[in-house]
Structures are given as structure tokens and as C-alpha cells.
Amino acid sequence: CNVARMQSISSMRTSAFGGASVRSQSAAAARSGIVSRSPVVVKAVQDVQGTVVSTAMKNTVVVSVERLAPHDKYFKRVRITKRYMAHNEDMDVNIGDYVRLEGGRPVSKNKKFTLAEVLRKAT
């Protein structure tokens, strides 16, 4: 009697994304041996914008870039900061400038971006 009741409860459970049961979909896919997934396309970010935080090195600036990403557990958008080293031929930028970086071939071990333009000067 309990087995029949458990089967009826599991058949009533549905996925949040469709009407069929999650367990029955995965079981059907396992039986058929074919799992169809859409291809994952990875596209590298080639342009980033951020604030200059260091100009101490020769021909190099360090730019801090912020982005919003969902938290893994709570799904609240959190601010993530990443620092990029960028090649800068003419040292015409100061700390606090808002700049745009362009991706390209690696200039050195850590420099994969070049300084494209200064969007806003620091006050």
C-alpha cells in the first residue's frame, strides 16, 4: 500500500520548467542512451571598461573592472572586482581615470589587454 502511495506522489511531482516529472525525464534519457543538450558557445570578452588603480610600472597600467554576477546559493547579484594589467605606450593616464581596454595577443605573461582610450578623466 505504501509503495503504491509513493508512486502516486512521485508521479504528481513536476519540474519547475515543464509538466513532466524530472525523474521520468532522466530515466527516459538514460534508457534511450541519447542525451540532447544545446551546444555551449564560449565567447571571450574583448573589451572591458574600468578604473585605473596603478600606474607604477613602465608601459603598464592596472585597471580594476567591476561586474555584477548572481551569488551561487542566494542568487542575489553581487559585485565582483577583477584587476587587469594593460599595455600603455604613452603614459597619459592617472589613477582614477575611467578607461576602455581592448583584448589582443599577449604582450607579456600577465598583459593581454592594451589601453584603447580614456573615457573619463579623474577629477
Side-chain angles (χ1 to χ4, degrees), residues 23-35:
R23 192 173 290 159
S24 65
Q25 286 177 353
S26 61
R31 272 187 253 120
S32 67
I34 300 171
V35 177

Side-chain angles (χ1 to χ4, degrees), residues 34-82:
I34 300 171
V35 177
S36 63
R37 292 185 178 164
S38 61
V40 176
V41 177
V42 177
K43 186 177 178 184
V45 175
Q46 294 298 318
D47 286 350
V48 292
Q49 296 176 358
T51 307
V52 176
V53 293
S54 175
T55 58
M57 294 172 277
K58 184 178 178 184
N59 292 338
T60 304
V61 292
V62 179
V63 178
S64 177
V65 176
E66 287 186 348
R67 67 182 179 91
L68 293 175
H71 189 273
D72 293 335
K73 184 174 180 182
Y74 300 111
F75 301 110
K76 178 184 175 182
R77 289 170 42 146
V78 293
R79 195 169 303 203
I80 295 175
T81 304
K82 189 167 182 181

